[in-house]
Structure formats: C-alpha cells, structure tokens
Amino acid sequence: MLFFQLTWESFRFAFSALKANITRTILSLLGVTIGIFAIIAVFTLVDSLENNIKSSFSFLGTNVMRVDRFPFASGPQDYPWWKYFRRPPGSLSEYKFLEERLKSAQAVTISASAGTTVQAGSNAYQGMQLTGIEYSYQDVYELPLEEGRYFLESEINASRNLAIVGRKIANTLYPNLPILGKEIKIKGLKFTVIGVFEEEGEGLFDAPSKDEACIIPYGAFTKMFYTGRNGVEPTIAAKGKEEDIGLVSLENELTGLIRAKRGLKPTQEDNFALNKTEFVQNAIGSIFDVISIAGWVIGGFSILVGGFGIANIMFVSVRERTNIIGIQKSLGAKNYFILFQFLFEAVFLSLIGGITGILIVFGLSFIQLGSLELILSFKNIILGLGVSSIIGVVSGIVPATLAARMDPVEAIRTA
C-alpha cells in the first residue's frame, strides 16, 4: 500500500514540475510532437493508399484463381509473350468440364467482358463494361446489390434478356427515376433491368468499377459478341476453400484437369496460366512495406532529436532540484520515489508530445485528397502512444537514476 501511495506522490510531483515550467515543457515536447506526427502521418497515408489501391482491384475477387493465357507473375525481361499469345483461351466446354469434376473449389465460373454503349430512349452511356456470366458467378465474386435481385438459375440457363447495372448507368439512363423493371438497349437488343449494384465511388486508379458495369446471362452475351480466340476471350475462375492455404490443392487439381481436357501429354508444358488474385495484393503490400520503412527512418530522426531534447531538459531539472532531492532523502524518501518523479516527468513530456502529434494527424484526416480518404487507424494511435512512452522512458531513465542515487548530504550542500 505504501508503494502505491509513494508512486502517486511521485506522479503529483512530476505533474507539478511540468506546470511550474510551462514554457520549458512546451519547448521540450515540440521535438516529440514533430517526430510522432511524421511517423503516424506517413503510416496513415501509407495505410490509406494501400487500402484504396487494394479496393480498386477488388474486382479480382478474394481467394480466387483464374485460368488465363498470360501469367501475372513474370517480369518484363523474361516474359515470352509470343509463346503465351499462341495459347488457346478458356472455353465454355472447359468450364462445364471443371464444374462437373473440380472438388477443391467452393465454386467455379466463366465470364466474358466487353466495352459497349447502352441506351434508354434518348439517353446513352458510353464505355459501359458489359459482362456475360453464369449463375455461379455470385459464388466466386462479391456482387452487393443496392436494389433488386440476382438472376435465377433458370433465367441464366434460358439466356433471358435481363440485366443488373451500376449506379452511374442507372442515374444516366433514368435520371431521378427508378430503373427496376425498365428497358435498356444493348447492341440493338432490349434488356429488362432487375437489379442495381451498390455504389462504389471513384477509386485511386482507373480500375473497373461496378458503377459502370452491367452483367447479363452468358448466353445473352454470346448473342451479341463472338467469344473465342478471335473474339472476346472468356475467363474461367475458381474460388478456393478457406482451409486451402495458398490454394495449393486447387492449383494442383486445376492443372491436372485442364491438362486432361486439352489432351496434353506428360512431356508437354502447360499451355495455360493459373493466376492467383492475391499476387496483385501481395505485390502492392510489398511496395508499401518499403514505404513504411522509409517512414520509420524519416520519423526516427525527428524522434531521436526529441528524445535528446527531453533528456537534456531532465538533466537540467535534476540539477535545479538537487536541494529538494537532498531534503526528501534526508526525510526518508525511498530511491524509487525520487526515480519515479523524474521518470514520470520525462514520460509525461513525451506522451503529451505524442498525443499532440496524433491529434494533428487526426485533424488532417478530415481533409479530402481527391478520391483518397485518410483514415487514422486504432493501430496507428496505439503505435504513436507506445513509441512516445518508450522515448520518455529511454530519455528519462539516466537522469532519474542519477537523482535517485544522490547522497542526501551532498545534495543539500550543492544548493
């Protein structure tokens, strides 16, 4: 109980010392404020950029493996595009073959996309991304709907002229009017709108957005576009199971089934590429890991300067209060009581500076930088407070230890 009472008294002494020298306190915490601000601002910007970029590529799906002609993961120097160009594209028959036999996937689907113009009366939307899909498309990719519904399996199988459109398309074709049940015209064919995607907003990059997308049954798509090598190339995609770490089982089974379907001999190399969508996100993450290290270096120098500033002030404070330290020790004050006074003072200085830096970053997070939304995460707040506390302890431990070890007689005489 005595220990806690003395600790509380040390806390009060430290706080009183900071209030008594308010100008010195403000000047001391500026260095830490700038350092924590630099670190947290860089991390907040990096996290916001990374999240924005990854969300821009959300159309690739999560835990998804695609069957393509060209691989994602080859560098420009050793990329034999002429060899990949000769590979056959995926086909509807291959999709059906995989759908019947593939066991390592939650779902498998096929889709084909093309840019076109959609019309409704005198209104038109150019540059729409039209995608023909099979019913299992919703099991592989996320399709959040704001209004309406998804296709029935019977509607997909019958190649009905139905469509789900993005919010931009809906607002352009039928401004200020509900679009559900209305007709739109694509390449001369009439389609009935049964759903509208949730609005995504603008991304940081010019990546495909559901706001400008329209999906229709795959059979309806093939009525308007030729699919195959000399036309629109379909993409087969399979969603792996959660327990399949790294999609190893799915990759092995897909490889075997596609080779069997295409009649490849054991000595022949694969004439297809299996692309994991996580490759893009991992590549983005690696880039931002390097940027984060740069943030630590930039903020580290500022923190270092702030730490030296606090240490210097603490040595001055010990010197000024040598007489008081001698009196306290002569009256029976424990060493840890003296130690805590100065250690708490150093930690307070650093924490106040850190909190100030975090508050500045929080204020700046309300500023909209184009389509980039800055978000100060709880993780970065804890990081800032943790770094501030460590800097306070490191900067104050030496002067606090010197004060605690002073001889009371010599301390009183020094005054």
Side-chain angles (χ1 to χ4, degrees):
M1 194 65 181
L2 179 62
F3 173 80
F4 290 111
Q5 289 179 345
L6 292 177
T7 301
W8 174 247
E9 286 298 319
S10 299
F11 182 90
R12 291 178 57 197
F13 268 106
F15 190 69
S16 299
L18 291 176
K19 289 199 326 185
N21 300 280
I22 190 68
T23 303
R24 187 171 71 187
T25 299
I26 293 173
L27 293 175
S28 300
L29 60 84
L30 278 178
V32 178
T33 298
I34 295 171
I36 295 298
F37 167 75
I39 290 176
I40 302 305
V42 169
F43 284 173
T44 298
L45 183 61
V46 166
D47 289 347
S48 300
L49 277 170
E50 185 173 3
N51 292 334
N52 194 293
I53 292 173
K54 285 184 176 180
S55 65
S56 296
F57 289 95
S58 61
F59 66 94
L60 292 174
T62 304
N63 211 35
V64 173
M65 182 170 288
R66 294 160 44 111
V67 180
D68 295 311
R69 289 198 294 162
F70 294 84
F72 286 166
S74 290
Q77 294 181 350
D78 57 347
Y79 198 83
W81 60 267
W82 56 90
K83 181 174 69 175
Y84 302 145
F85 184 77
R86 292 196 297 266
R87 290 175 170 179
S91 64
L92 188 62
S93 63
E94 288 179 347
Y95 157 68
K96 295 293 184 182
F97 182 82
L98 294 174
E99 186 182 36
E100 293 173 1
R101 294 167 174 80
L102 193 59
K103 305 298 183 185
S104 301
Q106 294 185 43
V108 60
T109 191
I110 187 172
S111 60
S113 298
T116 187
T117 300
V118 58
Q119 295 177 316
S122 59
N123 297 325
Y125 193 95
Q126 296 181 340
M128 178 186 73
Q129 185 73 11
L130 181 67
T131 303
I133 66 169
E134 286 291 332
Y135 183 73
S136 56
Y137 191 84
Q138 63 173 342
D139 300 321
V140 177
Y141 299 102
E142 293 183 5
L143 296 174
L145 298 181
E146 183 179 319
E147 301 177 36
R149 63 174 178 85
Y150 188 67
F151 306 101
L152 300 176
E153 188 170 8
S154 59
E155 293 171 340
I156 294 283
N157 295 336
S159 302
R160 295 277 304 279
N161 284 9
L162 302 174
I164 300 175
V165 300
R167 175 48 61 189
K168 278 188 177 181
I169 297 172
N171 292 342
T172 301
L173 299 183
Y174 288 94
N176 304 318
L177 290 174
I179 195 172
L180 293 182
K182 299 290 197 308
E183 285 190 347
I184 59 176
K185 188 176 289 187
I186 306 171
K187 294 184 75 68
L189 296 180
K190 292 181 180 180
F191 287 79
T192 302
V193 177
I194 62 170
V196 179
F197 292 120
E198 283 186 6
E199 188 171 5
E200 287 187 346
E202 293 184 3
L204 192 62
F205 293 97
D206 190 21
S209 168
K210 289 185 177 66
D211 295 342
E212 301 177 277
C214 174
I215 59 174
I216 61 175
Y218 190 84
F221 183 89
T222 57
K223 295 175 186 176
M224 298 178 287
F225 296 92
Y226 173 74
T227 56
R229 174 178 288 278
N230 298 319
V232 178
E233 295 186 7
T235 299
I236 297 173
K239 188 175 184 66
K241 296 180 178 179
E242 297 296 332
E243 63 270 17
D244 188 6
I245 306 299
L247 302 179
V248 176
S249 300
L250 178 59
E251 183 175 9
N252 291 336
E253 190 178 6
L254 268 176
T255 300
L257 288 175
I258 297 174
R259 286 183 63 88
K261 175 63 176 174
R262 296 188 176 183
L264 296 177
K265 297 177 181 179
T267 56
Q268 291 180 293
E269 66 176 15
D270 296 340
N271 60 355
F272 55 89
L274 297 180
N275 291 317
K276 301 176 185 177
T277 54
E278 278 72 13
F279 172 79
V280 177
Q281 294 185 346
N282 292 339
I284 294 171
S286 300
I287 294 171
F288 282 101
D289 286 343
V290 176
I291 299 176
S292 296
I293 294 173
W296 273 112
V297 173
I298 295 169
F301 282 110
S302 300
I303 284 288
L304 192 62
V305 172
F308 281 129
I310 291 176
N312 183 51
I313 293 300
M314 294 312 302
F315 278 116
V316 173
S317 183
V318 170
R319 186 178 181 84
E320 288 178 347
R321 288 150 58 186
T322 300
N323 191 343
I324 297 175
I325 295 170
I327 295 172
Q328 289 177 337
K329 297 197 74 172
S330 65
L331 293 175
K334 303 291 184 181
N335 283 351
Y336 67 80
F337 176 76
I338 305 298
L339 178 88
F340 283 172
Q341 286 183 45
F342 293 95
L343 194 58
F344 285 156
E345 187 175 340
V347 172
F348 288 162
L349 275 172
S350 188
L351 271 176
I352 293 170
I355 292 171
T356 305
I358 291 171
L359 289 176
I360 295 173
V361 176
F362 179 72
L364 292 176
S365 67
F366 289 99
I367 300 175
Q368 191 73 20
L369 301 176
S371 61
L372 178 63
E373 182 182 3
L374 295 177
I375 299 176
L376 177 60
S377 65
F378 182 73
K379 178 191 72 174
N380 285 336
I381 293 175
I382 296 300
L383 176 65
L385 295 177
V387 171
S388 301
S389 301
I390 293 172
I391 291 298
V393 171
V394 172
S395 302
I397 190 67
V398 174
T401 302
L402 292 177
R405 291 180 177 178
M406 279 185 180
D407 181 83
V409 177
E410 291 295 329
I412 293 174
R413 285 178 179 175
T414 302

